[in-house]
Amino acid sequence: WDAVFLDLAAYFNSETAGMWVYCEDTASRVSRMVGAIDDAEMAFYNRHLAAQNPWYQIPGLMRPGCALTDTSIEVFRQDPRAFTRTAFYQEWIRHLGLRHVLGGTLADTAGSHLNFTFLRSARAGAYRKQEVAAFRRLSRHVAKSVELSGQIEAHRWAHELAEASLNLLGIGVVIVDAARRLLFANFKGEALLRARSGIVLRDHHLCAADPQYQEQLERTISLLSAGGGHARIDIRQTTAPTTLHLSSHLQTASFLSTPKRAVTVFVVDGSLGPPTRIACFKQRWKLSSKEAQFADLLLRGLTVKEAAQKLDMTFETARWYCKQAMHKIGVNRQSQLIATLLSNVLVSVDTAVR
């Protein structure tokens, strides 16, 4: 966006340009400007002058679609000095060597106002009618660009969140295309591939570590890629058995491409055994061993006093563990703690995979 702001500032013969967002619910402002106004100056404006923005003092003036200048204030007030008398001018932009303003609200969605602003010096003169008209035409395109940028950012964030969640799992997750080329592997999946625990990577293609299962793996992935569905492969090894749960799904289509099927392989290492509820609590909420044991006992129906006796600790110590667990899980009451544990508990890896 900085490059966009700089290009637009040059086009409108302005020393500075940028956007800022105001959220009514939280009374918070986020801004990004380039040119004569740096982050420190914007922080000063947000802290001391934002509430005195002269355009917001006139009801309805900052509605989306309006292109406004400092002259708009003077015309509305019928006073040629109406703008230069404002604190906005006297205490802020005058000290920056700026004089004239052009901008407006690009979007107003659920109480969040998105504004675009240009500022320039007195030497450059007031913004002309042709520039105001050009800004009005431009604002529709900028608003659409901001909307698309937000959608892309949300998609990227969701992708990163999904990847981070998969990396927290205690089972291997490996995703391949129809040709068995590796598309993704979580941390556990990478570790299992390196250890050759049932599966291995050869030339970036997923293969069975034991050649006798290679044909079955290839055939299963081919069938799932062609028609969808689920399958299971039990690999018996001398060390420990490994189970592959395979599931087919469509990859999201990108621009000028058609959706393709991918196969997700959940790799259950038999040497680990299914995770216990306590292990899941520790992994899900970063509970200590004692906190996870205490939470598990509460989930089994024990009172705090009974849990204290079971863990051989005092009642006060048990209450402290209860408070710590509630704090980490993000609840305020014991009933909320139990309800959250019930809704998030994982009883076994097989259940999670299915």
Side-chain angles (χ1 to χ4, degrees):
W1 279 105
D2 284 0
V4 173
F5 296 157
L6 288 170
D7 285 346
L8 290 175
Y11 181 82
F12 284 92
N13 190 25
S14 302
E15 276 84 350
T16 190
M19 290 189 294
W20 51 274
V21 179
Y22 171 65
C23 181
E24 292 180 356
D25 291 343
T26 60
S28 60
R29 294 174 177 82
V30 179
S31 57
R32 183 62 184 170
M33 307 290 286
V34 296
I37 300 179
D38 58 20
D39 291 343
E41 291 293 345
M42 281 308 304
F44 175 82
Y45 166 78
N46 289 332
R47 193 161 50 245
H48 302 291
L49 297 170
Q52 303 175 53
N53 184 307
W55 291 274
Y56 272 112
Q57 305 302 314
I58 303 173
L61 196 62
M62 290 292 283
R63 66 184 182 276
C66 290
L68 305 169
T69 66
D70 45 286
T71 308
S72 305
I73 303 293
E74 297 164 358
V75 170
F76 184 86
R77 300 293 187 194
Q78 297 182 348
D79 179 357
R81 297 183 58 197
F83 176 71
T84 56
R85 285 202 197 95
T86 64
F88 177 88
Y89 174 78
Q90 292 290 338
E91 299 179 26
W92 194 42
I93 69 169
R94 182 169 70 91
H95 296 288
L96 299 172
L98 302 172
R99 169 61 177 84
H100 300 289
V101 184
L102 168 63
T105 300
L106 302 182
D108 182 355
T109 307
S112 292
H113 307 267
L114 173 66
N115 294 268
F116 202 108
T117 302
F118 296 99
L119 296 103
R120 70 188 184 195
S121 64
R123 184 176 62 256
Y127 287 96
R128 302 184 303 277
K129 288 183 179 180
Q130 298 94 317
E131 292 176 304
V132 174
F135 173 79
R136 188 178 291 110
R137 292 192 299 271
L138 173 71
S139 357
R140 295 193 295 270
H141 300 291
V142 174
K144 187 63 177 177
S145 297
V146 171
E147 181 185 352
L148 290 173
S149 178
Q151 292 174 0
I152 292 170
E153 185 67 17
H155 181 75
R156 184 185 65 81
W157 179 82
H159 176 78
E160 291 179 354
L161 180 62
E163 185 173 327
S165 300
L166 289 173
N167 283 329
L168 290 174
L169 294 177
I171 61 173
V173 179
V174 178
I175 303 177
V176 297
D177 64 11
R180 295 181 290 109
R181 285 186 293 261
L182 181 68
L183 301 176
F184 169 81
N186 69 346
F187 292 160
K188 184 62 179 178
E190 290 176 349
L192 292 172
L193 285 167
R194 287 193 300 269
R196 301 174 63 87
S197 182
I199 54 174
V200 67
L201 212 55
R202 296 193 182 99
D203 296 327
H204 305 290
H205 289 69
L206 184 68
C207 300
D210 188 336
Q212 67 173 310
Y213 294 99
Q214 181 64 25
E215 184 182 349
Q216 183 182 3
L217 179 64
E218 292 180 6
R219 186 174 63 254
T220 302
I221 291 178
S222 177
L223 289 172
L224 292 177
S225 299
H230 307 274
R232 170 175 174 160
I233 300 175
D234 293 309
I235 299 178
R236 295 172 177 80
Q237 303 175 116
T238 55
T239 52
T242 296
T243 302
L244 307 181
H245 296 268
L246 300 92
S247 179
S248 175
H249 56 88
L250 283 174
Q251 293 177 257
T252 303
S254 58
F255 185 57
L256 295 180
S257 70
T258 55
K260 299 178 181 178
R261 284 201 173 273
V263 175
T264 299
V265 183
F266 297 93
V267 188
V268 183
D269 184 2
S271 63
L272 298 177
T276 64
R277 261 205 313 233
I278 292 174
C280 291
F281 293 159
K282 290 170 67 176
Q283 178 178 302
R284 172 68 173 81
W285 291 290
K286 307 301 181 187
L287 301 184
S288 69
S289 296
K290 283 292 185 184
E291 291 163 356
Q293 291 174 28
F294 183 82
D296 185 60
L297 290 174
L298 291 182
L299 187 59
R300 292 173 184 273
L302 275 66
T303 64
V304 174
K305 184 177 180 180
E306 291 169 341
Q309 293 172 348
K310 189 80 172 177
L311 296 174
D312 193 24
M313 62 178 63
T314 66
F315 178 70
E316 289 303 318
T317 301
R319 286 186 60 191
W320 184 83
Y321 278 119
C322 185
K323 290 179 181 178
Q324 286 294 105
M326 287 193 294
H327 173 72
K328 290 182 180 180
I329 292 174
V331 296
N332 298 315
R333 295 193 179 98
Q334 189 175 321
S335 58
Q336 293 175 327
L337 172 66
I338 295 172
T340 304
L341 293 173
L342 279 172
S343 63
N344 288 273
V345 69
L346 298 173
V347 295
S348 71
V349 170
D350 285 324
T351 303
V353 170
R354 284 195 295 269

